[in-house]
Amino acid sequence: MVDRYIKRDIRGLLDLAIPDDEGAKNAAGTLATSISVLVEKLLSGGNRQPSYSNSSNSRGSRGAATRRGGSGSRSTMAAKQSVSKPNNDSANIMSDWITEQQNASSAKGKPVKAPSRNSVAALNKSFDEFKQWVYSNNSTNESTLYEPISQFFCFVASCLKAVHTLSQSVCPRRLVVPFFKPDRKSADGDDDSRVDLYLNLPQFDDYTIGTLITNPPEENNEAPMLADTFAIVEVKSAIQGIGKAMPQLFQYTRGIYNEQYDRRFAWGMAVGGKQVQAVFFGPNYALASDTICVDDASGRAKLVKLLVDWSFCESHRLGYDPAITHNKRLRYYEINVGSEDGSITYYSKGAVISAERLFGRHTRCFIASTAKSGHAATIEPDIFIKYAWPEATEDANVDYRDEGRHLQKITRTIGAEPNLDGKCPRYQSGGRVMINRRVGNEGIKAVEDTSRSILSDGICQQLDDDQDFVNGLRVHKVICMKGVGKPLKELENVFEVICVMADAMECHWKIYQRCKILHRDISTNNILFSGSGSKIKGMLVDFDHAICEDDKDAV
């Protein structure tokens, strides 16, 4: 499965995390460079500036890793000995760096406080741990890498928090922090799989540096939640390599789609010893970056830059749908759907159908109401909302299999007939999902959310140039329909089954007779019911495989 869907060594993949906002983009770039310089200064004991190589691609990096990382290498042994000794200067280096950054970004004339001992101590702790990753050898067991890798993330997060505590400049939106216990089974997963590292995104203002390192956001006795996980990191030893981590990363990322109703795409990381690949999971493909080597200064700088960009960028660049907001306090979702009159806000307890596969349509269905409620328990749904990524044409005018197109015709033609009330869905609003994002030199504009638009032009060209890599266009769509039903498995007796099936057959015939639309996907999953007893009604749904005979090109 991995080889079928993945394309490796994609140039520019990490740039997909760069913020759209110019201020955030510049701040992230400046801070990433500064943190990278700090890392190299600490690793060298403060005696030299970093020397970046021209390339950290997979071939060159492997060679460098072998030369520097072999267990018999004199240079490696010397480096290990030098960094394993307590460095009395590291605290001063970190303190000076924090002060320098705060001075550079604080308001003019505003006094800058000296860095707290806790801030410096937290950074020191992370540095002492993550340098063991940098100087690990090929025989290092994967379990011994969990803590050093976790502390690399914590170090970058702590640097961001330390220099922005007093800053008046652009602030990160969040931090990228690992769950404090590695190799754990999630509390909401559908199997017993144990994920190596879960990456979470606590809000920047919610935590202090000490909290990130010594008292993570989660309670100590809690298991990690896929519903709260931004990305998964799978770790293997250098001998096993990144290739062994990929199948597990694919398997576990599927759980993120299943538990998160607002995910459009996902990120992940595969680690093999000191080599890292970032992975971007789209609707029908997975793309891996070229290999990043953490024993090389340029590789460390790339990884720092990615973490900083993730902290500053807009939520849509992380793979979230900005139109869906989870109100955790009131336990409901706010869903904004575009319409001809602007946008409509719906309120839902959650998805009744969630995405169960890593690739494909990613269908999610909500039952919702336009009436705002004080709590999820009091929501009385009367609207059915469906999100999906079906295959489609780039031009919406010739997208003859568009479900919204069919439902609008059905609603116009027979939606007002009383005898069909509750038996066929009635279109309310929806269409192709639009995302506000930066488009080249055109600035921020609303663009259709598709499997190509979430990538850059350069990446799309790389995919087009590979004739063996086939992936059709998928378009993110949302449809709101009047009519809420239950699955057939909840019917209570044969009489109800007969009534519901008769209604579905009537609906199917009327739609074909009056609208010339053929459903083409009749199944028990696509027939719902409402009411009970003598008032029970069956309803035919899911017209995303339907065609209209009037659209000759579709036939």
Side-chain angles (χ1 to χ4, degrees):
M1 176 181 177
V2 172
D3 291 335
R4 176 185 174 187
Y5 285 99
I6 194 169
K7 179 157 177 65
R8 295 176 170 86
D9 300 324
I10 295 293
R11 300 180 303 277
L13 186 70
L14 306 186
D15 293 343
L16 296 180
I18 294 177
D20 290 327
D21 179 78
E22 280 295 331
K25 175 183 175 181
N26 294 335
T30 300
L31 268 173
T33 300
S34 181
I35 293 172
S36 296
V37 170
L38 172 64
V39 168
E40 302 312 313
K41 203 169 187 179
L42 290 169
L43 289 174
S44 64
N47 296 322
R48 62 179 175 84
Q49 293 294 316
S51 176
Y52 297 102
S53 66
N54 293 328
S55 173
S56 60
N57 60 45
S58 56
R59 293 188 181 91
S61 297
R62 286 194 184 98
T66 302
R67 291 192 297 272
R68 286 188 292 272
S71 58
S73 169
R74 293 182 181 180
S75 60
T76 300
M77 294 301 292
K80 287 181 183 177
Q81 292 170 3
S82 65
V83 298
S84 62
K85 297 177 182 179
N87 188 346
N88 296 327
D89 293 332
S90 63
N92 291 332
I93 293 172
M94 293 178 194
S95 180
D96 291 345
W97 180 82
I98 294 173
T99 301
E100 177 185 342
Q101 296 302 309
Q102 290 179 343
N103 275 323
S105 58
S106 64
K108 185 176 181 180
K110 181 176 180 179
V112 175
K113 296 180 181 178
S116 69
R117 291 183 179 180
N118 288 340
S119 299
V120 176
L123 287 166
N124 248 328
K125 179 182 183 300
S126 292
F127 169 68
D128 286 340
E129 289 287 348
F130 88 68
K131 70 183 180 184
Q132 305 305 322
W133 183 25
V134 175
Y135 293 106
S136 61
N137 58 45
N138 291 338
S139 62
T140 302
N141 186 279
E142 69 174 76
S143 62
T144 63
L145 293 173
Y146 295 156
E147 185 65 17
I149 294 173
S150 295
Q151 291 300 329
F152 186 91
F153 289 100
C154 284
F155 181 84
V156 175
S158 296
C159 287
L160 291 175
K161 186 65 179 181
V163 301
H164 274 278
T165 301
L166 302 174
S167 172
Q168 301 298 310
S169 61
V170 179
C171 187
R173 300 167 186 262
R174 64 192 75 83
L175 297 172
V176 183
V177 185
F179 187 80
F180 73 107
K181 289 183 178 180
D183 191 27
R184 286 291 183 271
K185 178 185 178 300
S186 68
D188 52 356
D190 56 6
D191 56 31
D192 293 326
S193 301
R194 300 169 73 91
V195 172
D196 292 340
L197 297 177
Y198 298 81
L199 295 184
N200 294 342
L201 298 175
Q203 293 298 308
F204 180 82
D205 291 335
D206 290 347
Y207 304 103
T208 63
I209 295 175
T211 300
L212 291 173
I213 303 302
T214 59
N215 299 302
E218 301 84 0
E219 295 295 332
N220 286 348
N221 293 326
E222 276 190 5
M225 299 282 289
L226 287 170
D228 297 326
T229 300
F230 158 60
I232 284 171
V233 181
E234 275 303 305
V235 181
K236 297 297 178 184
S237 67
I239 295 175
Q240 294 173 302
I242 290 176
K244 292 291 185 180
M246 282 293 183
Q248 289 178 302
L249 181 61
F250 273 53
Q251 177 187 348
Y252 303 152
T253 301
R254 181 190 66 82
I256 289 180
Y257 283 112
N258 193 39
E259 298 298 331
Q260 297 183 20
Y261 309 142
D262 59 344
R263 284 308 281 266
R264 299 160 44 245
F265 58 81
W267 288 88
M269 280 189 183
V271 179
K274 291 181 282 189
Q275 295 186 339
V276 181
Q277 280 188 332
V279 183
F280 182 97
F281 293 95
N284 52 337
Y285 52 73
L287 308 177
S289 69
D290 44 12
T291 304
I292 302 167
C293 283
V294 297
D295 65 345
D296 179 80
S298 61
R300 291 189 288 270
K302 281 187 176 182
L303 193 52
V304 168
K305 179 69 163 56
L306 178 61
L307 298 181
V308 174
D309 282 340
W310 278 345
S311 300
F312 276 88
C313 72
E314 295 77 11
S315 63
H316 74 84
R317 290 203 168 270
L318 301 177
Y320 296 100
D321 188 339
I324 303 176
T325 305
H326 186 201
N327 188 322
K328 291 187 177 182
R329 184 176 65 86
L330 300 179
R331 299 184 180 181
Y332 62 66
Y333 288 83
E334 293 185 20
I335 305 172
N336 291 302
V337 179
S339 69
E340 294 180 356
D341 300 324
S343 66
I344 303 173
T345 301
Y346 298 93
Y347 302 90
S348 173
K349 299 176 184 179
V352 293
I353 298 175
S354 61
E356 297 180 347
R357 297 182 180 180
L358 182 59
F359 302 111
R361 300 176 60 82
H362 286 174
T363 301
R364 296 178 176 89
C365 297
F366 301 81
I367 52 175
S369 171
T370 55
K372 188 172 183 178
S373 176
H375 194 274
T378 60
I379 292 178
E380 297 182 1
D382 60 349
I383 297 292
F384 188 82
I385 304 176
K386 177 182 177 181
Y387 279 92
W389 288 80
E391 292 183 347
T393 59
E394 189 169 353
D395 185 354
N397 294 320
V398 293
D399 190 3
Y400 298 121
R401 287 177 54 181
D402 180 61
E403 184 175 13
R405 180 192 189 109
H406 298 320
L407 289 177
Q408 288 184 65
K409 184 173 184 179
I410 293 170
T411 303
R412 287 195 307 267
T413 308
I414 61 175
E417 295 189 9
N419 62 317
L420 292 178
D421 185 31
K423 298 179 182 180
C424 67
R426 296 178 179 178
Y427 178 87
Q428 295 289 301
S429 61
R432 297 189 172 202
V433 173
M434 308 295 288
I435 297 289
N436 291 321
R437 49 164 293 193
R438 181 171 294 279
V439 181
N441 297 324
E442 300 178 42
I444 306 295
K445 60 183 297 187
V447 298
E448 290 184 356
D449 200 23
T450 73
S451 57
R452 290 181 68 89
S453 69
I454 59 178
L455 306 174
S456 66
D457 292 341
I459 293 177
C460 288
Q461 187 61 55
Q462 292 176 65
L463 301 184
D464 293 341
D465 291 342
D466 186 351
Q467 296 181 356
D468 295 329
F469 190 78
V470 179
N471 66 99
L473 179 71
R474 288 187 179 269
V475 176
H476 193 191
K477 298 180 181 180
V478 58
I479 299 173
C480 298
M481 298 164 274
K482 191 76 172 179
V484 174
K486 300 177 183 178
L488 295 183
K489 64 182 180 180
E490 296 187 26
L491 291 171
E492 296 184 355
N493 52 58
V494 175
F495 172 77
E496 290 187 344
V497 172
I498 294 174
C499 291
V500 168
M501 296 304 293
D503 287 345
M505 292 170 65
E506 179 188 7
C507 178
H508 183 266
W509 170 244
K510 286 284 186 180
I511 289 174
Y512 178 71
Q513 183 185 48
R514 300 282 301 280
C515 306
K516 300 300 181 184
I517 292 175
L518 190 61
H519 188 282
R520 301 201 312 161
D521 190 26
I522 302 295
S523 70
T524 54
N525 292 329
N526 293 335
I527 300 174
L528 305 176
F529 77 93
S530 60
S532 61
S534 61
K535 295 184 178 180
I536 198 166
K537 291 183 178 181
M539 179 169 62
L540 185 63
V541 298
D542 202 354
F543 286 77
D544 52 5
H545 285 284
I547 58 172
C548 179
E549 287 189 353
D550 291 338
D551 296 326
K552 300 303 181 183
D553 291 337
V555 178

